[in-house]
Amino acid sequence: MRERAVSGTSEGPAPAADLDRPAVTESEIDTPSRTEPPAHPPYRSVFTAAPLAMAVVDREGTVVSANDSLAALLGTAPDELAGAVAADLVDLTSDARTWHAYREVLRGRQSRLRCTRRLKRPDGHSLWVQVTVTPLPGEDRAVLLSVADISSRRELQARLRHLQMHDPVTRLPNRTLFFERLSAALEAESYEQSGTGRIGLCYLDLDGFKAINDTLGHRVGDRLLAAVAERLTHCADEAGHSRPSIPLVARLGGDEFALLVEDSTGTEQLAELAESVLEAVQHPFDIAGQRLSVSASIGVVERHAAGTTPTALMQAADTTLYWAKADGKSRWTLFDPERNAHRMTRQALASALRPAIDRGEFQLEYQPLVGMEDDRLHGVEALIRWNHPQFGVLTPNRFIGLAEEDGSIVPLGRWVLRTACRQARRWQLDHPDEPPIFVSVNVAVRQVWDSDLVADVAQTLAETGLAPHLLQLELTESAVMGSAGLPLQALKALSDMGVRIAIDDFGTGYSNLAYLSRLPVSVLKLDGTFVRGFQYDDRDTTTRPNPADEVVVEAMIQLAHRLGLTVTAECVETSAQATRLRRIGCDTGQGWLYSRPVPPDRISELLGTPGVQAGVGNP
C-alpha cells in the first residue's frame, strides 16, 4: 500500500497507476451535468468559519489559501499550506484516472471530482479522507478543495466486512470470503504473471459430528467446531511454512471446511496436506469435561487454474468428498476424471430413464428355456434392452439399478409385462399347432411395493388374452426369502391366479430352505455359478470336474422336486454341462448352448423345430 506524506512536491505528469494500492481504495468521479449555482454569502467568511477542511486552489493546482481545519487535519501549520501543490497534499497523482479528472476540473472541462484517499501525516498517523474538488462560484480562476475525515466510517465498514466475511463460531473465513478468494485466484492475471499456475483444494466434513451435536447439544458442537478449526489452521500454517503462501482455511457451513492452496506444486502437496489434516482431526478433543472423537472425509482436487471455474472446482471437490465417504469415511480421495465420467454417465442415464419410456427407446429380446429331456422350446425369458441415442444398446445391468432407485422401474416393468405377454400371445396365435410356450418376466421388489402388481398382471392377461399359466414371474432369492406382508400376499394372489412364480439366481442369497416350502413358488432357477463346474468334458483327463459341484446341485434338484418345484439351470454353455444336468434330473436349461437372447422373429423360427440344442437358435 502506498501512503503519501502530506508535505507537497512539485507538480508533474501523472505517474502510472499504483498496483500496490489496496482493493478497498476507491476512486469515484462524479460528473454532474451542470455546475452548482453561486452561493449568496461570500465564500471567504464561510471558508474560515466552516469545520470542514478546505483550501482555495488556483487553476495551476497551487494552494492559494487554506483554513485552519485543513491544517489541523493534515497535521501542519496553515501558513505552510499556501503555495503547496494541492495534488500532492491529498495524493491525487497516484493513479492516472484520478489525475486526469483533477486536471479536467482545473481546466473547467469537468464540474466535480470526488475520490477516497489514504493519507499519512508527519507524525506517522494514517487517515482515510474523502476529497472533493469543485469550481468556486463566481471565481473563474480558482477551485475549492474540501477534505473530509472518513477514518471512523472506514473502520466501521472494515469491522462490518470482517463480520460479514467470517464465521462467528470458528472465526475462520466463511463461504462468502472463501469464494471471493477462490474467484480471485482463478482470474487469469492472478496465475499468469507469477506462481505455478495451479490450484488445489481439500474439501472435508467431519464424520460423527452430527451424533455429538445431537446428543450433547449445539453448545458443545460449536466448541468442537472451533477446536477443529484451530487444528486445521495449524495444519495450514505448517504446510505453508516453507512455501510462498499459506493455504486459506474456511468454514463453508455446518461441519464442512475447505483448505484452498493457491500456486500448488502438484498432487503430492495436496496429499501431504490431506494426510496431516486426517491425523490432526483423529486425535481426541477434550471439551466440556468430555473426550470426543471424530474423523474427517476429504475430497482432494488439484489441477491447472487455466480453464477452471469456481463452480467446476467445487463440483469436483464435492463429488470426491462423496467418494471418500462412500469408500468408508476417515480417508482422503483424489479426484479421478474417469470415475467422474462414469458418475456423469450414470446421472445422464438416470435423468433420461422416464422420458425414454415415453419415447419408446426400449425393446425386448428373448432367450429360450429348453427342456432337458426333449430339447424342445418350452418357454422364453424376456430381457430388456435400451436403445440409447447416445450410448447405443444398453443391457439391463447398466440401468435397472437406476430405475429401482428413482422408481421408474414401476412404469418400465409394467411396459415389459405388457409387451412380453402380447408377444407370447402372438406366438400362440401364429403357431396354433404347436404347444404354447410360456414367457418369463423379471419383477423387482419395488414393483410389488410401489404398484398393484396383482391388478397389473390381471389387466395385462385380460387385455392380451394370454392364459395365466403361460406367464412366469421371476424374483430374486433375496427378495422372496423372508418376505412378509404385502409381497407375500401379492405372490399368493398371483399363484392362485395361475401365474407361475420363479426364484431367480437361487443359491446365492439367503438359501432359507425351511422357508421355501411355505412360499407360493413353482420354479427354482439355479444360479450360473453352480453350473460352471459342469463345463468340463469327461474325456478331458487334464481338467476334471469337481465332484462336490455335482453333489450340491443334485441335492438342490432333489429337494426342489420333493417340494413339487421344477428346476431351471442358467448359463448352460456346453453339451457336457447339459448331459450332467439331464442325468441328475434338471428340468430345463437356459444358456448360450441353446441360444443367445434374440429378437421375437428368431423365436418364431425355433417353434416347431425338433431340437434347440447345440446353438441352433444362435443368430
Side-chain angles (χ1 to χ4, degrees), residues 115-293:
C115 61
T116 301
R117 286 292 182 267
R118 187 179 185 185
L119 305 180
K120 187 174 183 180
R121 292 162 39 125
D123 59 6
H125 177 70
S126 296
L127 68 158
W128 285 95
V129 297
Q130 185 176 75
V131 180
T132 304
V133 182
T134 58
L136 271 172
E139 294 283 341
D140 294 334
R141 293 175 295 178
V143 297
L144 181 65
L145 171 75
S146 59
V147 184
D149 186 354
I150 60 171
S151 299
S152 298
R153 187 173 73 188
R154 294 290 295 223
E155 184 179 349
L156 176 60
Q157 290 174 342
R159 288 201 301 268
L160 290 175
R161 174 177 168 80
H162 182 85
L163 291 175
Q164 292 172 349
M165 297 294 186
H166 288 76
D167 171 51
V169 174
T170 62
R171 299 184 180 180
L172 292 176
N174 61 14
R175 176 180 289 269
T176 302
L177 181 53
F178 171 80
F179 275 98
E180 185 177 287
R181 281 282 301 273
L182 176 59
S183 299
L186 292 176
E187 291 179 356
E189 54 268 25
S190 297
Y191 58 79
E192 287 180 351
Q193 296 177 358
S194 61
T196 62
R198 303 184 68 85
I199 192 164
L201 177 63
C202 291
Y203 182 34
L204 67 101
D205 76 4
L206 303 179
D207 308 320
F209 172 77
K210 185 178 186 300
I212 294 174
N213 201 45
D214 291 345
T215 55
L216 300 181
H218 294 283
R219 190 170 185 178
V220 173
D222 287 349
R223 292 181 62 181
L224 176 59
L225 290 174
V228 169
E230 289 182 6
R231 294 189 184 180
L232 296 181
T233 302
H234 178 73
C235 291
D237 292 340
E238 290 293 319
H241 180 68
S242 58
R243 300 184 184 274
S245 61
I246 298 175
L248 171 71
V249 183
R251 181 191 178 197
L252 302 187
D255 60 346
E256 297 179 353
F257 297 84
L259 290 89
L260 178 65
V261 181
E262 301 179 48
D263 293 327
S264 64
T265 57
T267 56
E268 184 178 348
Q269 179 189 2
L270 270 295
E272 291 176 358
L273 178 59
E275 286 285 357
S276 67
V277 168
L278 282 180
E279 183 179 355
V281 173
Q282 284 174 348
H283 290 293
F285 295 84
D286 294 318
I287 296 175
Q290 301 185 69
R291 175 155 286 198
L292 306 177
S293 295

Side-chain angles (χ1 to χ4, degrees), residues 394-407:
L394 303 179
T395 54
N397 63 311
R398 292 288 303 276
F399 58 86
I400 289 297
L402 297 174
E404 291 178 342
E405 289 177 10
D406 70 1

Side-chain angles (χ1 to χ4, degrees), residues 427-447:
W427 285 322
Q428 185 180 6
L429 295 175
D430 290 346
H431 302 273
D433 297 332
E434 297 295 330
I437 62 173
F438 68 88
V439 63
S440 190
V441 176
N442 290 278
V443 176
V445 178
R446 189 161 182 176
Q447 289 178 256

Side-chain angles (χ1 to χ4, degrees), residues 455-471:
D456 287 344
V457 170
Q459 181 180 355
T460 299
L461 293 177
E463 291 177 353
T464 60
L466 186 69
H469 73 278
L470 296 180
L471 173 62

